[in-house]
Coordinates of all heavy atoms in Angstrom, one line a residue:
M1 N 6.1 22.4 9.2 CA 5.2 21.2 9.3 C 5.5 20.5 10.7 O 6.6 20.1 11.0 CB 5.6 20.3 8.3 CG 4.7 18.9 8.2 SD 3.0 19.3 7.5 CE 2.1 17.9 8.3
A2 N 4.7 20.3 11.5 CA 4.7 19.7 12.9 C 4.4 18.2 12.7 O 3.5 17.8 12.0 CB 3.7 20.2 13.8
Y3 N 5.4 17.5 13.1 CA 5.3 15.9 13.1 C 4.6 15.5 14.3 O 4.7 16.0 15.5 CB 6.6 15.3 12.9 CG 7.3 15.6 11.6 CD1 8.4 16.3 11.6 CD2 6.6 15.3 10.5 CE1 9.0 16.6 10.3 CE2 7.1 15.6 9.2 CZ 8.4 16.3 9.1 OH 8.9 16.5 8.0
D4 N 3.8 14.4 14.2 CA 3.1 13.8 15.3 C 4.0 13.0 16.3 O 3.7 12.9 17.5 CB 2.1 12.9 14.9 CG 0.8 13.6 14.2 OD1 0.7 14.7 14.6 OD2 0.0 13.0 13.5
N5 N 5.1 12.5 15.7 CA 5.9 11.7 16.5 C 7.3 11.6 15.9 O 7.4 12.2 14.8 CB 5.4 10.4 16.7 CG 4.7 9.7 15.5 OD1 5.3 10.0 14.3 ND2 3.6 9.2 15.5
S6 N 8.2 11.0 16.5 CA 9.6 11.0 16.2 C 9.9 10.5 14.8 O 10.9 11.0 14.2 CB 10.4 10.4 17.2 OG 10.0 8.9 17.2
D7 N 9.2 9.6 14.3 CA 9.5 9.1 12.9 C 8.9 9.9 11.8 O 9.2 9.6 10.6 CB 9.2 7.6 12.8 CG 7.9 7.3 12.6 OD1 7.0 8.2 12.8 OD2 7.5 6.1 12.6
G8 N 8.2 10.9 12.1 CA 7.5 11.8 11.1 C 6.4 11.3 10.4 O 5.9 12.0 9.4
R9 N 5.9 10.2 10.7 CA 4.8 9.7 9.9 C 3.5 10.1 10.5 O 3.3 10.3 11.6 CB 4.8 8.0 9.9 CG 5.8 7.4 9.1 CD 5.7 5.9 9.1 NE 6.9 5.4 8.5 CZ 7.0 5.4 7.1 NH1 6.0 5.7 6.4 NH2 8.1 4.9 6.5
L10 N 2.6 10.5 9.5 CA 1.2 10.8 10.0 C 0.4 9.6 10.5 O 0.7 8.5 10.0 CB 0.3 11.3 8.8 CG 0.9 12.6 8.2 CD1 0.1 13.0 7.0 CD2 0.8 13.8 9.2
R11 N -0.3 9.9 11.6 CA -1.1 8.7 12.1 C -2.5 9.2 12.5 O -2.7 10.4 12.6 CB -0.4 8.1 13.5 CG 0.8 7.5 13.1 CD 1.1 6.4 14.3 NE 2.2 5.6 13.8 CZ 3.5 5.9 13.8 NH1 3.9 7.1 14.3 NH2 4.4 5.0 13.3
G12 N -3.4 8.4 12.8 CA -4.7 8.6 13.2 C -5.5 9.5 12.4 O -5.5 9.4 11.2
R13 N -6.3 10.5 13.0 CA -7.2 11.3 12.3 C -6.5 12.2 11.2 O -7.0 12.4 10.2 CB -7.9 12.2 13.4 CG -8.9 11.5 14.2 CD -10.3 12.2 14.3 NE -10.2 13.6 14.8 CZ -10.3 13.9 16.0 NH1 -10.6 13.0 16.9 NH2 -10.3 15.2 16.3
K14 N -5.3 12.6 11.6 CA -4.5 13.5 10.5 C -4.3 12.7 9.3 O -4.4 13.1 8.2 CB -3.4 13.9 11.2 CG -3.0 15.3 11.3 CD -1.9 15.6 12.1 CE -1.3 17.0 11.9 NZ -0.3 17.3 12.8
L15 N -3.9 11.4 9.5 CA -3.7 10.5 8.4 C -4.9 10.3 7.6 O -5.0 10.3 6.4 CB -3.0 9.2 8.8 CG -2.7 8.2 7.8 CD1 -1.8 8.7 6.7 CD2 -2.1 6.9 8.4
Q16 N -6.0 10.0 8.3 CA -7.3 9.7 7.6 C -7.7 10.9 6.8 O -8.1 10.8 5.6 CB -8.4 9.3 8.6 CG -8.1 8.0 9.2 CD -7.7 6.9 8.1 OE1 -8.2 6.7 7.2 NE2 -6.6 6.1 8.4
A17 N -7.6 12.1 7.4 CA -7.8 13.4 6.7 C -7.0 13.6 5.4 O -7.5 13.9 4.4 CB -7.7 14.6 7.6
A18 N -5.7 13.3 5.6 CA -4.8 13.4 4.4 C -5.2 12.4 3.4 O -5.2 12.7 2.1 CB -3.3 13.2 4.9
R19 N -5.4 11.2 3.7 CA -5.8 10.1 2.7 C -7.0 10.6 1.9 O -7.1 10.4 0.7 CB -6.1 8.8 3.4 CG -4.9 8.1 3.8 CD -5.3 6.8 4.7 NE -6.1 5.8 4.0 CZ -5.6 5.0 3.2 NH1 -4.2 4.8 3.1 NH2 -6.4 4.1 2.5
L20 N -8.1 11.1 2.7 CA -9.2 11.5 2.0 C -9.0 12.7 1.0 O -9.5 12.7 -0.1 CB -10.4 11.9 2.9 CG -11.8 12.4 2.4 CD1 -12.3 11.2 1.5 CD2 -12.7 12.7 3.5
R21 N -8.2 13.6 1.4 CA -7.9 14.8 0.7 C -7.1 14.5 -0.5 O -7.5 14.9 -1.6 CB -7.1 15.8 1.5 CG -7.0 17.2 1.1 CD -6.4 18.1 2.2 NE -5.1 17.8 2.6 CZ -4.8 17.4 3.9 NH1 -5.7 17.4 4.9 NH2 -3.7 17.0 4.1
I22 N -6.1 13.6 -0.5 CA -5.3 13.3 -1.7 C -6.1 12.5 -2.6 O -6.0 12.7 -3.8 CB -4.1 12.5 -1.2 CG1 -3.3 13.3 0.0 CG2 -3.2 12.2 -2.4 CD1 -2.7 14.6 -0.5
W23 N -6.8 11.4 -2.1 CA -7.7 10.7 -2.9 C -8.7 11.4 -3.7 O -9.0 11.1 -4.8 CB -8.2 9.5 -2.1 CG -9.2 8.6 -2.8 CD1 -8.8 7.4 -3.5 CD2 -10.5 8.7 -2.8 NE1 -9.9 6.8 -3.9 CE2 -11.0 7.6 -3.7 CE3 -11.5 9.5 -2.4 CZ2 -12.4 7.4 -4.1 CZ3 -12.8 9.4 -2.6 CH2 -13.3 8.2 -3.5
S24 N -9.3 12.3 -3.0 CA -10.4 13.2 -3.5 C -10.0 14.0 -4.7 O -10.5 14.2 -5.7 CB -11.1 14.1 -2.6 OG -11.6 13.4 -1.4
A25 N -8.6 14.4 -4.6 CA -8.0 15.2 -5.6 C -7.7 14.4 -6.8 O -7.8 14.9 -8.0 CB -6.6 15.9 -5.2
N26 N -7.5 13.1 -6.7 CA -7.1 12.2 -7.8 C -7.2 10.8 -7.3 O -6.2 10.3 -6.9 CB -5.7 12.6 -8.4 CG -5.5 11.6 -9.6 OD1 -6.4 10.9 -10.1 ND2 -4.3 11.8 -10.2
P27 N -8.4 10.1 -7.5 CA -8.6 8.8 -7.1 C -8.0 7.7 -8.0 O -8.6 6.7 -8.1 CB -10.1 8.6 -6.9 CG -10.5 9.5 -8.1 CD -9.6 10.7 -8.2
H28 N -6.7 8.0 -8.6 CA -6.2 7.0 -9.4 C -4.7 6.7 -9.0 O -4.1 7.6 -8.4 CB -6.1 7.5 -10.9 CG -7.4 7.7 -11.5 ND1 -8.2 8.9 -11.4 CD2 -8.2 7.0 -12.3 CE1 -9.3 8.8 -12.0 NE2 -9.3 7.6 -12.6
C29 N -4.3 5.5 -9.2 CA -2.9 5.2 -8.8 C -2.0 6.1 -9.7 O -2.2 6.2 -10.8 CB -2.7 3.7 -9.1 SG -1.0 3.3 -9.0
A30 N -1.0 6.7 -8.9 CA 0.0 7.6 -9.7 C 0.9 6.7 -10.6 O 1.4 7.5 -11.5 CB 0.8 8.4 -8.7
R31 N 0.9 5.5 -10.5 CA 1.9 4.7 -11.3 C 1.2 4.1 -12.5 O 1.5 4.3 -13.7 CB 2.5 3.6 -10.5 CG 3.6 4.1 -9.4 CD 4.7 3.1 -9.4 NE 6.0 3.7 -9.3 CZ 7.1 3.0 -9.3 NH1 7.1 1.5 -9.3 NH2 8.2 3.6 -9.2
C32 N 0.1 3.3 -12.2 CA -0.5 2.5 -13.3 C -1.8 3.2 -13.8 O -2.5 2.7 -14.7 CB -0.7 1.1 -12.9 SG -1.9 0.8 -11.6
G33 N -2.3 4.2 -13.0 CA -3.5 4.9 -13.5 C -4.8 4.2 -13.1 O -5.9 4.8 -13.5
K34 N -4.8 3.1 -12.4 CA -6.0 2.4 -12.0 C -6.8 3.2 -11.1 O -6.2 3.9 -10.1 CB -5.5 1.1 -11.3 CG -6.7 0.2 -11.2 CD -6.0 -1.2 -10.6 CE -6.4 -1.3 -9.2 NZ -6.0 -2.6 -8.6
L35 N -8.1 3.3 -11.3 CA -9.0 3.8 -10.3 C -9.1 3.0 -9.0 O -9.3 1.8 -9.0 CB -10.5 3.9 -10.8 CG -11.5 4.6 -10.0 CD1 -11.1 6.1 -9.8 CD2 -12.9 4.5 -10.8
V36 N -8.9 3.7 -7.9 CA -8.9 3.0 -6.7 C -10.0 3.3 -5.7 O -10.4 4.6 -5.7 CB -7.4 3.1 -5.9 CG1 -6.3 2.5 -6.8 CG2 -7.1 4.5 -5.6
A37 N -10.4 2.5 -4.8 CA -11.5 2.8 -3.9 C -11.0 3.3 -2.5 O -10.0 3.1 -2.1 CB -12.3 1.5 -3.6
F38 N -11.9 4.2 -2.0 CA -11.6 4.7 -0.6 C -12.4 3.9 0.3 O -13.7 3.6 0.0 CB -12.0 6.2 -0.5 CG -11.6 6.9 0.7 CD1 -10.4 7.4 0.8 CD2 -12.5 6.9 1.7 CE1 -10.1 8.1 2.0 CE2 -12.2 7.5 2.9 CZ -11.0 8.1 3.1
P39 N -12.0 3.5 1.5 CA -10.6 3.9 2.0 C -9.6 2.7 2.0 O -8.5 2.9 2.1 CB -10.8 4.1 3.5 CG -12.0 3.2 3.8 CD -12.8 3.0 2.5
G40 N -10.1 1.6 1.5 CA -9.2 0.4 1.6 C -8.5 0.0 0.3 O -7.6 -0.9 0.3
G41 N -8.7 0.7 -0.8 CA -8.1 0.2 -2.0 C -6.9 0.9 -2.5 O -6.4 0.5 -3.6
F42 N -6.3 1.6 -1.6 CA -5.1 2.2 -2.1 C -4.1 2.6 -0.8 O -4.5 2.5 0.4 CB -5.3 3.7 -2.7 CG -5.8 4.7 -1.7 CD1 -4.8 5.7 -1.3 CD2 -7.1 4.8 -1.3 CE1 -5.4 6.7 -0.4 CE2 -7.5 5.8 -0.4 CZ -6.7 6.6 0.0
E43 N -2.9 3.0 -1.2 CA -1.8 3.3 -0.1 C -1.5 4.9 -0.3 O -1.4 5.3 -1.5 CB -0.6 2.5 -0.2 CG -0.9 1.0 -0.1 CD -1.1 0.5 1.3 OE1 -1.0 1.3 2.2 OE2 -1.6 -0.6 1.5
L44 N -1.5 5.5 0.7 CA -1.0 7.0 0.6 C 0.6 6.9 0.6 O 1.1 6.4 1.6 CB -1.5 7.8 1.8 CG -1.4 9.3 1.6 CD1 -2.1 9.9 0.5 CD2 -1.9 10.1 2.9
D45 N 1.2 7.4 -0.4 CA 2.6 7.2 -0.6 C 3.3 8.6 -0.5 O 2.8 9.6 -1.0 CB 2.9 6.6 -1.9 CG 4.3 6.4 -2.2 OD1 4.9 5.7 -1.4 OD2 4.9 6.9 -3.1
H46 N 4.4 8.6 0.0 CA 5.3 9.8 0.0 C 6.1 9.8 -1.3 O 6.9 8.8 -1.5 CB 6.2 9.9 1.2 CG 5.6 10.3 2.5 ND1 4.9 9.1 3.3 CD2 5.5 11.3 3.1 CE1 4.3 9.7 4.4 NE2 4.7 11.1 4.3
I47 N 5.9 10.7 -2.1 CA 6.7 10.8 -3.5 C 8.2 10.8 -3.2 O 8.8 10.0 -3.8 CB 6.3 12.1 -4.1 CG1 4.8 11.9 -4.6 CG2 7.1 12.2 -5.5 CD1 4.1 13.2 -5.2
T48 N 8.6 11.6 -2.3 CA 9.9 11.5 -1.7 C 9.9 10.8 -0.4 O 9.2 11.2 0.5 CB 10.6 12.9 -1.5 OG1 10.6 13.6 -2.7 CG2 12.0 12.8 -1.0
A49 N 10.5 9.6 -0.4 CA 10.4 8.8 0.8 C 10.8 9.5 2.1 O 11.7 10.3 2.1 CB 11.2 7.5 0.6
L50 N 10.0 9.1 3.2 CA 10.3 9.8 4.5 C 11.8 9.8 4.9 O 12.1 10.7 5.6 CB 9.3 9.3 5.5 CG 8.0 9.9 5.7 CD1 7.2 9.2 6.8 CD2 8.0 11.3 5.9
H51 N 12.4 8.7 4.7 CA 13.8 8.7 5.3 C 14.7 9.5 4.3 O 16.0 9.5 4.7 CB 14.3 7.2 5.4 CG 14.3 6.4 4.1 ND1 13.3 5.9 3.5 CD2 15.4 6.2 3.3 CE1 13.7 5.3 2.3 NE2 15.0 5.4 2.2
K52 N 14.3 9.9 3.3 CA 15.2 10.7 2.3 C 15.0 12.3 2.7 O 14.0 12.7 3.2 CB 14.8 10.5 0.8 CG 15.1 9.2 0.4 CD 15.0 8.9 -1.0 CE 15.3 7.5 -1.4 NZ 14.9 7.2 -2.8
E53 N 16.1 12.9 2.3 CA 16.3 14.4 2.5 C 15.2 15.1 1.7 O 14.9 14.7 0.6 CB 17.6 14.9 2.1 CG 18.0 16.1 3.0 CD 19.5 16.4 2.8 OE1 20.2 15.4 2.7 OE2 19.9 17.6 2.9
G54 N 14.5 16.1 2.3 CA 13.6 16.9 1.7 C 12.2 16.4 1.7 O 11.3 16.9 1.1
S55 N 11.9 15.2 2.3 CA 10.6 14.6 2.4 C 9.9 15.4 3.5 O 10.3 15.8 4.5 CB 10.7 13.1 2.8 OG 9.4 12.5 2.8
T56 N 8.6 15.6 3.1 CA 7.7 16.2 4.0 C 6.3 15.4 4.0 O 6.0 14.5 3.2 CB 7.3 17.7 3.6 OG1 6.5 17.6 2.4 CG2 8.6 18.4 3.3
N57 N 5.4 15.9 4.9 CA 4.1 15.3 5.0 C 3.1 16.3 4.4 O 1.9 16.2 4.5 CB 3.6 15.0 6.4 CG 4.2 13.7 6.9 OD1 4.2 12.7 6.2 ND2 4.6 13.7 8.1
D58 N 3.7 17.2 3.5 CA 2.7 18.1 2.9 C 2.1 17.4 1.6 O 2.6 16.4 1.1 CB 3.5 19.2 2.3 CG 4.1 20.2 3.3 OD1 3.7 20.1 4.4 OD2 5.1 20.8 3.1
D59 N 0.9 18.0 1.3 CA 0.1 17.2 0.2 C 0.8 17.1 -1.1 O 0.6 16.2 -1.8 CB -1.2 18.1 -0.1 CG -2.2 17.9 1.0 OD1 -1.8 17.4 2.2 OD2 -3.2 18.4 0.9
D60 N 1.7 18.1 -1.4 CA 2.5 18.0 -2.7 C 3.6 16.9 -2.7 O 4.2 16.7 -3.7 CB 3.1 19.3 -3.1 CG 4.0 19.8 -2.2 OD1 4.4 19.3 -1.3 OD2 4.4 21.0 -2.4
N61 N 3.8 16.2 -1.5 CA 4.7 15.1 -1.5 C 3.9 13.8 -1.3 O 4.5 12.8 -1.0 CB 5.7 15.3 -0.3 CG 6.8 14.3 -0.3 OD1 7.2 13.9 -1.5 ND2 7.1 13.6 0.8
M62 N 2.5 13.9 -1.5 CA 1.7 12.6 -1.3 C 1.0 12.3 -2.6 O 0.7 13.2 -3.4 CB 0.6 12.9 -0.3 CG 1.1 13.5 1.1 SD 1.7 12.1 2.1 CE 1.3 12.9 3.6
Q63 N 1.0 10.9 -2.8 CA 0.2 10.5 -4.0 C -0.5 9.1 -3.6 O -0.2 8.5 -2.7 CB 1.2 10.2 -5.1 CG 2.2 9.2 -4.9 CD 3.3 9.1 -6.0 OE1 3.2 9.8 -7.0 NE2 4.2 8.1 -5.8
V64 N -1.4 8.8 -4.5 CA -2.2 7.6 -4.4 C -1.5 6.6 -5.1 O -1.2 6.8 -6.1 CB -3.7 7.8 -4.9 CG1 -4.4 6.5 -5.0 CG2 -4.5 8.8 -3.9
L65 N -1.3 5.4 -4.5 CA -0.8 4.2 -5.2 C -1.7 3.0 -4.9 O -2.1 2.9 -3.8 CB 0.7 3.9 -4.8 CG 1.7 4.8 -5.2 CD1 3.1 4.3 -4.7 CD2 1.8 5.0 -6.7
C66 N -2.0 2.1 -5.9 CA -2.6 0.9 -5.6 C -1.6 0.0 -4.9 O -0.4 0.2 -5.0 CB -3.2 0.3 -6.9 SG -2.0 -0.4 -7.9
P67 N -2.1 -1.0 -4.1 CA -1.2 -1.7 -3.4 C -0.1 -2.4 -4.1 O 1.1 -2.3 -3.6 CB -2.2 -2.8 -2.5 CG -3.5 -2.1 -2.5 CD -3.5 -1.2 -3.8
P68 N -0.3 -3.1 -5.2 CA 0.9 -3.7 -5.9 C 2.0 -2.7 -6.3 O 3.1 -3.0 -6.2 CB 0.2 -4.2 -7.3 CG -1.3 -4.5 -6.8 CD -1.5 -3.3 -5.9
C69 N 1.6 -1.3 -6.8 CA 2.6 -0.5 -7.1 C 3.2 0.2 -5.9 O 4.4 0.5 -5.8 CB 1.8 0.8 -7.8 SG 1.3 0.4 -9.5
H70 N 2.6 0.2 -4.7 CA 3.0 0.6 -3.5 C 4.2 -0.2 -3.1 O 5.4 0.1 -2.7 CB 2.0 0.8 -2.5 CG 2.6 1.5 -1.1 ND1 2.7 0.7 0.0 CD2 3.0 2.7 -0.9 CE1 3.3 1.6 0.9 NE2 3.6 2.8 0.4
V71 N 3.9 -1.5 -3.1 CA 5.0 -2.5 -2.7 C 6.2 -2.4 -3.7 O 7.3 -2.4 -3.1 CB 4.4 -4.0 -2.9 CG1 5.4 -5.0 -2.8 CG2 3.3 -4.2 -1.9
K72 N 6.0 -2.2 -5.0 CA 7.2 -2.0 -5.8 C 8.0 -0.7 -5.4 O 9.1 -0.8 -5.5 CB 6.7 -1.9 -7.3 CG 6.3 -3.4 -7.8 CD 6.0 -3.1 -9.3 CE 5.0 -4.2 -9.7 NZ 4.2 -3.9 -10.9
K73 N 7.3 0.3 -5.3 CA 7.9 1.7 -5.0 C 8.6 1.5 -3.7 O 9.7 2.1 -3.6 CB 6.8 2.7 -5.1 CG 7.6 4.1 -4.8 CD 6.7 5.2 -4.9 CE 7.4 6.6 -4.7 NZ 7.9 6.8 -3.4
S74 N 7.9 0.9 -2.7 CA 8.6 0.9 -1.4 C 9.9 0.0 -1.5 O 10.9 0.5 -0.8 CB 7.7 0.2 -0.3 OG 6.5 1.0 -0.2
A75 N 10.0 -1.0 -2.3 CA 11.2 -1.7 -2.4 C 12.2 -0.9 -3.0 O 13.5 -0.9 -2.6 CB 10.8 -3.1 -3.2
V76 N 11.9 0.0 -4.1 CA 12.9 0.8 -4.7 C 13.4 1.9 -3.7 O 14.5 2.1 -3.6 CB 12.3 1.4 -6.1 CG1 13.2 2.6 -6.4 CG2 11.9 0.4 -7.0
D77 N 12.3 2.5 -2.9 CA 12.7 3.5 -2.0 C 13.8 3.0 -0.9 O 14.5 3.6 -0.4 CB 11.5 3.9 -1.2 CG 10.6 4.9 -2.0 OD1 11.1 5.4 -3.0 OD2 9.5 5.1 -1.7
M78 N 13.5 1.6 -0.6 CA 14.5 1.0 0.5 C 15.8 0.7 -0.2 O 16.6 0.1 0.5 CB 13.9 -0.2 1.1 CG 12.5 0.2 1.8 SD 12.9 1.5 3.1 CE 13.7 0.6 4.3
G79 N 16.1 0.9 -1.4 CA 17.2 0.6 -2.0 C 17.3 -0.7 -2.9 O 18.4 -1.0 -3.4
Y80 N 16.3 -1.4 -3.0 CA 16.2 -2.5 -3.8 C 16.2 -2.3 -5.3 O 15.5 -1.2 -5.6 CB 15.1 -3.5 -3.4 CG 15.3 -4.0 -2.0 CD1 14.7 -3.4 -0.9 CD2 16.2 -5.0 -1.7 CE1 14.9 -3.9 0.4 CE2 16.5 -5.5 -0.5 CZ 15.7 -4.9 0.6 OH 15.9 -5.4 1.9
K81 N 16.5 -3.1 -6.0 CA 16.4 -3.0 -7.6 C 14.9 -3.1 -7.9 O 14.2 -4.0 -7.4 CB 17.2 -3.8 -8.4 CG 18.8 -3.5 -8.1 CD 19.6 -4.1 -9.2 CE 21.0 -3.4 -9.3 NZ 21.8 -4.1 -8.1
E82 N 14.5 -2.3 -8.8 CA 13.2 -2.5 -9.2 C 12.8 -3.8 -9.9 O 11.7 -4.5 -9.9 CB 12.7 -1.4 -10.2 CG 11.2 -1.4 -10.6 CD 10.7 0.0 -10.9 OE1 11.5 0.9 -11.2 OE2 9.5 0.2 -10.9
R83 N 13.7 -4.2 -10.8 CA 13.5 -5.6 -11.5 C 13.8 -6.8 -10.5 O 15.0 -6.9 -10.0 CB 14.4 -5.6 -12.7 CG 14.1 -6.7 -13.6 CD 14.7 -6.7 -15.0 NE 14.2 -5.4 -15.6 CZ 14.7 -4.9 -16.8 NH1 15.5 -5.7 -17.4 NH2 14.3 -3.7 -17.2
A84 N 12.8 -7.6 -10.4 CA 13.0 -8.8 -9.5 C 14.0 -9.7 -10.1 O 14.1 -9.9 -11.4 CB 11.7 -9.5 -9.4
K85 N 14.8 -10.4 -9.3 CA 15.7 -11.4 -9.8 C 15.2 -12.7 -9.2 O 14.4 -12.8 -8.4 CB 17.2 -11.2 -9.3 CG 17.7 -10.2 -10.0 CD 19.2 -9.9 -9.5 CE 19.9 -8.7 -10.4 NZ 20.8 -8.0 -9.5
F86 N 15.6 -13.9 -9.9 CA 15.2 -15.2 -9.5 C 16.3 -16.0 -9.1 O 17.4 -16.0 -9.7 CB 14.4 -15.9 -10.6 CG 13.1 -15.1 -11.1 CD1 13.3 -14.0 -12.1 CD2 12.0 -15.3 -10.5 CE1 12.2 -13.4 -12.5 CE2 11.0 -14.6 -10.9 CZ 10.9 -13.6 -11.9
D87 N 16.1 -16.8 -8.1 CA 17.1 -17.7 -7.6 C 17.0 -19.0 -8.4 O 16.3 -19.1 -9.3 CB 17.1 -17.9 -6.1 CG 15.9 -18.7 -5.6 OD1 15.1 -19.2 -6.4 OD2 15.6 -18.6 -4.4
A88 N 17.9 -20.0 -8.0 CA 18.0 -21.1 -8.8 C 16.6 -22.0 -8.7 O 16.4 -22.6 -9.6 CB 19.1 -22.0 -8.2
A89 N 15.9 -21.8 -7.7 CA 14.6 -22.5 -7.6 C 13.5 -21.8 -8.2 O 12.3 -22.2 -8.1 CB 14.3 -22.8 -6.0
G90 N 13.8 -20.6 -8.8 CA 12.7 -19.9 -9.5 C 12.0 -18.9 -8.7 O 10.9 -18.4 -9.0
R91 N 12.4 -18.7 -7.4 CA 11.8 -17.8 -6.5 C 12.2 -16.4 -6.7 O 13.3 -16.2 -7.1 CB 12.0 -18.2 -5.0 CG 11.2 -19.5 -4.6 CD 11.6 -19.8 -3.2 NE 12.9 -20.0 -2.9 CZ 13.5 -21.2 -2.6 NH1 12.7 -22.2 -2.3 NH2 14.7 -21.3 -2.4
V92 N 11.3 -15.4 -6.5 CA 11.8 -14.0 -6.7 C 12.7 -13.6 -5.6 O 12.4 -13.8 -4.3 CB 10.4 -13.1 -6.6 CG1 10.9 -11.6 -6.6 CG2 9.6 -13.4 -7.7
V93 N 13.8 -13.1 -5.9 CA 14.7 -12.5 -4.9 C 14.7 -11.0 -5.0 O 14.9 -10.4 -6.1 CB 16.2 -13.0 -5.2 CG1 17.1 -12.5 -4.2 CG2 16.2 -14.5 -5.3
W94 N 14.5 -10.3 -3.9 CA 14.5 -8.8 -3.9 C 15.9 -8.3 -3.7 O 16.4 -8.3 -2.7 CB 13.5 -8.2 -2.9 CG 12.2 -8.5 -3.5 CD1 11.3 -9.4 -3.0 CD2 11.5 -7.7 -4.4 NE1 10.1 -9.3 -3.7 CE2 10.2 -8.2 -4.6 CE3 11.9 -6.6 -5.3 CZ2 9.4 -7.6 -5.6 CZ3 11.0 -6.2 -6.2 CH2 9.7 -6.7 -6.3
Ligands
ZN1 ZN1 -1.0 1.0 -9.6

């Protein structure tokens, strides 16, 4: 798999083509099952996060997530706990 640039993320036309391909195969959020709209209603997510070993930009490592699920998964991918905690003022602490 050839990467476009040093951080390995897809960009531009290649990314748009991948988004359309993955969404066409299954236009539902992989987490909550919600039907999402193309092109603005979803995020293309790496099932194995890019910074982890074994991650690729191949289609079988890509899935559709709705924005709220993507935010949650990204937080987990970055090493945060999935369950939000609250500080003394009742604000969410990641
Ligand atoms: Zn979702």
Side-chain angles (χ1 to χ4, degrees):
M1 182 79 200
Y3 293 121
D4 287 341
N5 41 40
S6 57
D7 71 1
R9 288 184 187 279
L10 292 175
R11 288 203 170 83
R13 289 229 305 264
K14 235 172 168 175
L15 175 61
Q16 291 314 312
R19 283 174 60 89
L20 181 57
R21 201 165 58 238
I22 307 300
W23 178 85
S24 297
N26 183 5
H28 296 85
C29 173
R31 284 209 143 186
C32 69
K34 192 173 103 174
L35 181 65
V36 296
F38 186 89
F42 73 99
E43 305 283 349
L44 191 62
D45 179 63
H46 288 84
I47 295 169
T48 300
L50 268 182
H51 66 276
K52 291 186 179 168
E53 207 166 323
S55 179
T56 69
N57 282 316
D58 294 341
D59 287 9
D60 62 4
N61 191 40
M62 304 280 214
Q63 64 185 358
V64 167
L65 289 180
C66 70
C69 288
H70 186 249
V71 167
K72 283 183 214 163
K73 179 173 185 292
S74 297
V76 173
D77 285 344
M78 297 305 287
Y80 295 99
K81 295 203 168 70
E82 184 151 22
R83 190 167 304 177
K85 290 185 176 145
F86 299 91
D87 68 10
R91 288 180 298 244
V92 175
V93 181
W94 286 103

